[in-house]
Amino acid sequence: MTDWTDEHRLLSSHVDTAYYLEANPDVAAAGADPVAHFMTQGWREGRNPNPDFQVAYYLRANGDVAAAGVNPLLHYLSAGKAEGRQPRRPLTEERTVVEAASPARLSGGWDGAPDPEPDLNQTTLVRLLDRLAPRDASLIVAFSHDDCERNIGGVQNLVRAEASAFAQLGLSYLHVSPQRPHSFHSEFPADRTTYSLRLNGKRLGATRASDLLAALRRGDGGAPLVLVVHHLLHHSPEVVAQFTELDLATTIFWVHDFLSVCPNYVLLRNDVSFCGGPPEDSGACTICAYGRDRARSRERIRRFFAAAAPQILAPSESALSVWRKAAGLPYRAAAVQPLARLNLSRTKPRETPSGPIRVAHLGAPAMLKGWPTFRGLAARFADDPRYRFYQLGHTSGRARGVEYASVSVTRETPNAMIDAITELGIDVIVNWSICSETFCFAAFESLAAGAAIVTHPNAGNVTALVRENRQHGLVVDDEGGLHALFGQGQLAPFLSAGDRFRGSLIPEGGTATWLQETMDGRAVLRRLVRTDRIEAMSGIEVAGG
């Protein structure tokens, strides 16, 4: 009985009860003690005690333990860990992701079923637009991948901020999104493609692309349109290209990600390794799950760019640099237009932490965002009194040694993440994204809350942001350097030495801001509104989404 009690005490801090009960509903239904169940029969049935220990792998990799018939977790804790034995299959997440990598998985697996019937025919749509957006007034026609009023995300926030900014210029904003998603790009022609329309944020209804094209043909005396393409995901590039034949003042194409380079729009080879977008016929593409679909997708994108010859807007220098190297597409000009502006106040210094350093991962527990790296770091230092680990987001990663705080950023609570970082006293954010971020709101939120960021050299916009604000973060070469940073206690002196300030994150107005604040943009704007109105509005404070 003493031995059993000692074993129970030893295992109690290593059996994640919430994880065990969720993974084993029969145990939960029986009301059994998770630790006792794992000790007596769970491990024999191959049930894992926590996300970081794999019973079947440990026994398979260690034949002596299997032959002895001992509890594998007890063996690992008492001897295996000191002997360097691995508690789980190396690169488990990477292998699992590679095995599942496919265009269908990344795009949501949409089957290409026909669009539903629209509720706005051409006659009704023309009447609505004539009343709400007269032909003698310019109209902004913006395409993105979903309904920005019903979905949450960086692009959706920008679309709403952009519409608000155009409203202050007296310009109406027609937002166009697919009525139903398709796998990457729709295969349907204009007369079989159905769009969902919002004008100045209010839903008009759904209409055929062919009817929308007809309604936007303004004829003599009509004011020019501006075409803004935020995303071609779920759209037919051929159908969107037909809108470039309208009377346009300009066509804007945004580089929010790299779908114009590859169906894997974050440029991750087999979803696990950043590739940078090599040539389609390269060996690197032939070994990737997305290589087979890339050539056809790229040809469709090339035809769109040849028709549009757009002005490129990218949310960061790093995004534009990656795109220019990989895209190989025709365009008229390119510029950087940030999605938000960081304003740090010198009157709000961040206090030096007392007690354990609080370290957090922001957002979803996803490989793309570096969750496996953070989870491994937390597992290694879970019992180290110098640190406490947190995950802040709307989905829990359920990792050993990590405390979870539910945080959801919505249009009603745009500062929820900044507030949570501040209230929990988070000192350090580990941002280990494996892709080249085009514009990472989480990184900006971290700095606005006064937290320091630890990242690596290839995290795109995150890396650039840290290097621009050196007192607010560190760029570490690799995971070995990350573990050494924590193991050798180098965080504490860094946090004590530098002044870090809190501040705010101010949304920009997207295309509207670019039109007002750049020479090329103002030339376009003069075709859309009176010159005196441009001058009057040049100093406006753009409203956020």
Side-chain angles (χ1 to χ4, degrees), residues 19 104-105 114 125 167 210 277 286 296 327 404 464 467 498 517-518:
Y19 167 86
R105 187 204 63 77
L125 180 59
S210 53
T286 62
R296 183 169 182 270
Y404 171 68
R467 285 177 170 158
E517 295 184 353
T518 66

Side-chain angles (χ1 to χ4, degrees), residues 49 91 159 189 285 311 313 356 367 427 444 457 511:
L91 302 176
V159 169
C285 274
Q311 162 74 47
L313 292 184
M367 172 171 284
D427 304 299
F444 281 83
T511 305

Side-chain angles (χ1 to χ4, degrees), residues 56-127:
Y57 168 77
Y58 195 83
L59 292 175
R60 185 172 64 250
N62 301 285
D64 57 329
V65 179
V70 299
N71 184 313
L73 181 58
L74 278 174
H75 180 274
Y76 175 73
L77 295 173
S78 61
K81 185 175 182 179
E83 296 166 356
R85 306 197 194 204
Q86 298 298 313
R88 61 203 311 270
R89 183 176 68 157
L91 302 176
T92 291
E93 286 86 0
E94 289 83 350
R95 290 176 175 179
T96 302
V97 170
V98 168
E99 290 161 2
S102 72
R105 187 204 63 77
L106 194 61
S107 67
W110 303 106
D111 58 8
D115 286 347
E117 287 298 313
D119 48 23
L120 292 176
N121 59 33
Q122 182 178 328
T123 302
T124 304
L125 180 59
V126 168
R127 188 185 309 120

